[in-house]
Amino acid sequence: MLVNIDEIQRQADEMILRAGFPKHSVNLSSAPYGDGTPYISFENDSYNYIYSERGYEFSRKVTHSLNTLLYWIMSEFAYQIAYQYELVHRVEGRDGRRIAFPKFIEIMANMNPAWESEARVDIQKILAEAPYDDSLYT
């Protein structure tokens, strides 16, 4: 059985607080804003995490799992925070992902310890496609 948007927001807020960030750092919606902001729809007994802009849908992820939906939502937030952290702690001549990726994993683990391994796998997939390259930053 699917939970409603208010319950998803409540669980997201709990995770955000657990990771040390202010409540409502992520504001969920069940209707499109039309500006590319993701929203959640409930169709065919599934959660749909959709990005659309001006009526054009450019991404949709579908799952039956509330945990998976929350992972998608929270990983987007964690990446934003991790790259803000990298910007403040940037090391000249080094691929910034060397700082952002461990921070991303740390944030995800703080929100839900079970997500640490999944976050590590996500990073490994990214690095398999696009390895660290410090030469781009010299």
Side-chain angles (χ1 to χ4, degrees), residues 78-79 82-83 85-86 95-108 119-120 122-128 130-132:
Y79 274 120
Y83 277 101
Y85 177 86
E86 185 277 329
D95 187 328
R97 299 175 304 161
R98 291 184 188 276
I99 295 170
F101 285 173
K103 191 66 170 176
F104 167 77
I105 294 167
E106 174 188 327
I107 293 166
M108 293 300 286
R120 286 186 188 284
D122 286 350
I123 297 303
Q124 289 170 353
K125 287 177 186 174
I126 292 169
L127 292 173
Y132 291 128

Side-chain angles (χ1 to χ4, degrees), residues 5 18 45 56 72 77 84 97 114:
I5 193 74
R18 201 175 308 133
D45 205 32
Y56 175 73
W72 293 338
F77 171 73
Q84 289 172 0
R97 299 175 304 161

Side-chain angles (χ1 to χ4, degrees), residues 13-81:
D13 288 340
E14 283 180 8
M15 291 177 179
I16 289 165
L17 287 170
R18 201 175 308 133
F21 299 100
K23 186 177 181 180
H24 293 298
S25 291
V26 171
N27 293 304
L28 302 176
S29 174
S30 60
Y33 288 112
D35 65 354
T37 302
Y39 67 97
I40 300 163
S41 73
F42 307 87
E43 302 167 34
N44 301 320
D45 205 32
S46 298
Y47 300 105
N48 294 260
Y49 194 54
I50 304 168
Y51 290 83
S52 67
E53 186 172 356
R54 294 184 221 152
Y56 175 73
E57 183 179 308
F58 55 90
S59 174
R60 177 185 293 250
K61 295 179 183 177
V62 180
T63 184
H64 295 292
S65 167
L66 177 59
N67 184 63
T68 299
L69 175 67
L70 286 166
Y71 182 88
W72 293 338
I73 294 165
M74 296 295 100
S75 66
E76 183 178 300
F77 171 73
Y79 274 120
Q80 290 172 358
I81 298 299

